[in-house]
Amino acid sequence: MLFARGKKILGTAYPVIQGGMAWISEATLAAAVSEAGGLGVIAAGNAPFSFVREEIRKARKLTAKPLCVNVMLLSPYAEEVAHGLIDEDIEFIITGAGNPGKYMQAWKEAGKKVMPVVPSTALARRMEQSGADALIAEGTEAGGHIGEITTMALIPQVVDVVTIPVFAAGGIGDARGVLAAWMLGAEGVQVGTRFLLAHECQVHAHYKEKIIKAKDIDTVVTGRPTGHPVRVLKNPLAREFARREKEGCTPEELEELGAGTLCLAAQEGDTKNGSFMAGQIAGLLSQEQSCSQIIQDLYLGAEMLLAEKCRGENHG
Amino acid sequence: MLEKIKEILAEELSLDLEEIGDDSDIREDLGADSLDMVQLVMSLEDEFGLEIENEEIQSVTTVRGIVEFIEKKRG
Ligand SMILES: Cc1cc2nc3c(=O)[nH]c(=O)nc-3n(C[C@H](O)[C@H](O)[C@H](O)COP(=O)(O)O)c2cc1C
C-alpha cells in the first residue's frame, strides 16, 4: 500500500491534499474533495476571518469528513484568521508563505493538526521542532507563491532531516508524478493546478480555458524583486511585470501592480489584467473532471502504475 | 563572540569573512532573506545552546546587533 503514513495522519481514504488557492478554493471545492476521499482545503488568502468562517460553515453542511483551512501568512488578516480558527470545526491547518511558529502552540492546544508549507530544509526542521504534525514541501514548479528549489531536489532533502510525514507539492499532475513523489520519500501529495480543472472548482471559465490551453513553457515567475515571487501563466499583466522589473521598478510599485489581480482572474476572468497563477504542470492538463475522478486517477493510477512497473521488471 | 558570529554568517550566507563588517546590515548588506534567517537562527541556537523565537530576531539588524542579542539572551 502506498503512502500508509500519509493516509493515517490525514484520516482520509486517499493521501491527496487539494492545495489551498486564494480566491479560488472555497467551500464547494473543499467539501467536494473531502467527500471524494481527499483533504479539501479552504483558502483564507487575503480575506478577513468573517469570510473564512462563512466558508467553513458552508463546507461543514456539505461534508462531515476532515476539512482544512490554508492560512496565507502574508495576508493582512493572518493574525485574525489564525486566532479565529481555534474555535472552528476543522481538523487541519496548512500555512503558506512564511513561518507560523507564533501560532503553533495555540493551534496545538485546540487539537488542530498543523502542516506548514516549507520551501527549505531549515524551515522544515524548525517546524518539526515547533510541533508540526506533517509538512508540505513545495517545489518551485508550483503555482502561486514559490521558493527556489525544485520538487525533485527538495523532497528527498527534507525527508532526510525530519521524522514527521512529508507531503510533496509542485508539479504533480498525474499518477506518474504521485509515484515519483512516493519514490522520493513523500507520504502523500498536495495538488493545486489540476484542481483548478475540477467541475466543482468555482473559478471563472476563462481561467480553466487558459489552463487547458497552456503549454509546458507558458508559466513565468513575476515579482522576484518583492521577495515574494509568484508563478503565473503568461498574459499581458505578466508581460507588464517583466517590463517593469527590467526597468527597475521598486518592490512597492510591483506589489501595487499585483494587488487584487488574482481575484480579477479568478472571479472576473479578466485575461488581460488578471493574474492567472498556475504551476508548470498546467501544460500536461487537458480536461475538466470531477474531484472524485481527479483523486482516483492520481492515487489509484499510481498504484496501478507501480504494479505495472513491477510486472514489467520481472518479465525483463 | 563577534568573530564566531561572523564565521556563522559567512558559513550560512556563503560569504567571505572579509565581506562582513561589524555594522553590516544582515538583510540589506549581506542579502539574507527570510529563509536564510531561519537557517541562521537554527545555527545560533546550536552554537550557543539557546532557544530563539523567530519573532525575537526580527528586530535585530546588524552583525553587532546579533552579538548584543545573544549576550542579552544568555543573561
Ligand atoms: C491559483 C493558486 C493559488 C494559490 N494560493 C495559495 C495560497 O493562498 N496559500 C498557499 O499556501 N498556497 C497557495 N497555492 C499553492 C497550492 O496550495 C499548491 O501547493 C500548489 O498549487 C501545488 O503545485 P501545483 O500547482 O504544481 O499542483 C496556490 C496555487 C495556485 C495555483
Side-chain angles (χ1 to χ4, degrees), chain A residues 19-22 24 43 45 70 72 95-96 117 138 141-144 169-172 190-193 196 207 262 277-279 281:
Chain A
M21 294 182 276
I24 297 171
N70 178 295
M72 231 271 287
T95 60
V117 174
E138 188 195 64
E141 299 91 322
I172 298 168
Q190 171 169 291
V191 171
T193 302
L196 288 168
Y207 211 124
L262 174 60
M277 292 185 187
I281 205 67

Side-chain angles (χ1 to χ4, degrees), chain B:
Chain B
M1 173 80 120
L2 190 60
E3 285 316 304
K4 187 75 221 165
I5 301 277
K6 285 187 185 175
E7 276 171 34
I8 293 175
L9 283 166
E11 171 81 24
E12 295 302 350
L13 303 175
S14 309
L15 296 168
D16 287 334
L17 270 178
E18 301 77 65
E19 296 177 73
I20 306 173
D22 297 0
D23 294 306
S24 301
D25 187 298
I26 313 159
R27 298 172 191 82
E28 298 290 322
D29 303 329
L30 306 182
D33 65 18
S34 62
L35 290 180
D36 292 324
M37 292 305 289
V38 174
Q39 185 81 53
L40 180 63
V41 165
M42 310 265 294
S43 298
L44 294 174
E45 286 186 333
D46 288 347
E47 179 66 34
F48 299 104
L50 296 167
E51 269 196 38
I52 304 171
E53 292 298 326
N54 189 50
E55 282 68 38
E56 295 179 278
I57 198 95
Q58 297 310 324
S59 55
V60 178
T61 53
T62 64
V63 177
R64 211 192 294 275
I66 300 182
V67 175
E68 287 161 11
F69 173 78
I70 300 284
E71 279 170 349
K72 207 161 132 219
K73 282 287 279 187
R74 292 168 124 190

Side-chain angles (χ1 to χ4, degrees), chain A residues 17-25 41 43-46 70-73 94-97 117 136 138-139 141-145 151 168-173 190-196 203 207 211 231 262 266 275-282:
Chain A
I17 304 171
Q18 160 253 314
M21 294 182 276
W23 292 107
I24 297 171
S25 65
V41 181
N46 282 327
N70 178 295
V71 181
M72 231 271 287
L73 296 166
I94 290 176
T95 60
V117 174
I136 297 169
E138 188 195 64
E141 299 91 322
H145 288 280
T151 304
I172 298 168
Q190 171 169 291
V191 171
T193 302
R194 186 163 176 188
F195 279 106
L196 288 168
V203 77
Y207 211 124
I211 300 284
R231 184 176 300 286
L262 174 60
S275 166
F276 290 79
M277 292 185 187
Q280 291 181 331
I281 205 67

Side-chain angles (χ1 to χ4, degrees), chain A:
Chain A
M1 191 171 64
L2 296 177
F3 302 115
R5 255 179 106 207
K7 277 190 265 189
K8 187 155 172 240
I9 187 139
L10 296 183
T12 55
Y14 306 110
V16 177
I17 304 171
Q18 160 253 314
M21 294 182 276
W23 292 107
I24 297 171
S25 65
E26 39 64 79
T28 322
L29 178 62
V33 169
S34 290
E35 274 299 292
L39 181 64
V41 181
I42 293 166
N46 282 327
F49 179 62
S50 54
F51 166 86
V52 181
R53 187 175 50 206
E54 185 90 345
E55 293 303 316
I56 295 172
R57 306 273 157 100
K58 274 193 236 164
R60 262 293 161 246
K61 291 210 177 94
L62 299 168
T63 183
K65 300 209 168 131
L67 278 173
C68 176
V69 170
N70 178 295
V71 181
M72 231 271 287
L73 296 166
L74 290 172
S75 160
Y77 297 102
E79 184 103 29
E80 173 185 312
V81 171
H83 291 299
L85 288 179
I86 290 171
D87 296 320
E88 290 299 313
D89 181 14
I90 50 156
E91 290 78 2
F92 293 90
I93 296 174
I94 290 176
T95 60
N99 180 342
K102 62 177 167 176
Y103 307 123
M104 210 69 138
Q105 200 186 346
W107 285 342
K108 299 296 303 171
E109 279 169 12
K112 309 294 183 208
K113 290 203 176 115
V114 186
M115 307 190 283
V117 174
V118 299
S120 74
T121 55
L123 192 57
R125 283 169 52 213
R126 188 94 188 141
M127 291 298 97
E128 177 169 49
Q129 280 174 1
S130 326
D133 296 278
L135 297 171
I136 297 169
E138 188 195 64
T140 193
E141 299 91 322
H145 288 280
I146 52 168
E148 284 291 340
I149 310 175
T150 61
T151 304
M152 184 81 148
L154 181 65
I155 304 303
Q157 296 189 68
V158 168
V159 165
D160 280 354
V161 296
V162 296
T163 58
I164 50 179
V166 175
F167 290 80
I172 298 168
D174 67 7
R176 291 170 295 182
V178 175
L179 197 55
W182 179 71
M183 289 300 303
L184 293 173
E187 297 285 350
V189 295
Q190 171 169 291
V191 171
T193 302
R194 186 163 176 188
F195 279 106
L196 288 168
L197 293 183
H199 291 316
E200 296 92 335
C201 178
Q202 307 296 308
V203 77
H204 197 281
H206 291 169
Y207 211 124
K208 296 191 182 191
E209 281 161 25
K210 273 189 82 71
I211 300 284
I212 289 174
K213 280 205 196 121
K215 298 185 298 298
D216 53 353
I217 56 169
D218 284 346
T219 70
V220 287
V221 177
T222 63
R224 283 204 193 277
T226 66
H228 307 297
V230 293
R231 184 176 300 286
V232 299
L233 291 172
K234 287 179 189 165
N235 76 342
L237 176 68
R239 278 190 289 277
E240 179 66 16
F241 256 104
R243 194 176 65 76
R244 296 217 196 163
E245 279 169 29
K246 223 173 179 173
E247 285 172 356
C249 263
T250 64
E252 291 74 27
E253 284 167 322
L254 291 172
E255 296 275 12
E256 202 183 311
L257 180 64
T261 53
L262 174 60
C263 175
L264 216 51
Q267 298 189 349
E268 318 272 321
D270 186 335
T271 50
K272 287 202 176 63
N273 307 308
S275 166
F276 290 79
M277 292 185 187
Q280 291 181 331
I281 205 67
L284 185 77
L285 307 173
S286 59
Q287 58 174 333
E288 295 185 42
Q289 288 176 311
S290 68
C291 289
S292 178
Q293 284 169 322
I294 292 174
I295 292 170
Q296 299 209 4
D297 179 61
L298 288 168
Y299 180 71
L300 299 180
E303 278 194 334
M304 270 160 51
L305 188 57
L306 179 62
E308 230 171 74
K309 295 274 180 208
C310 292
R311 274 199 307 278
E313 286 294 309
N314 293 341
H315 291 246

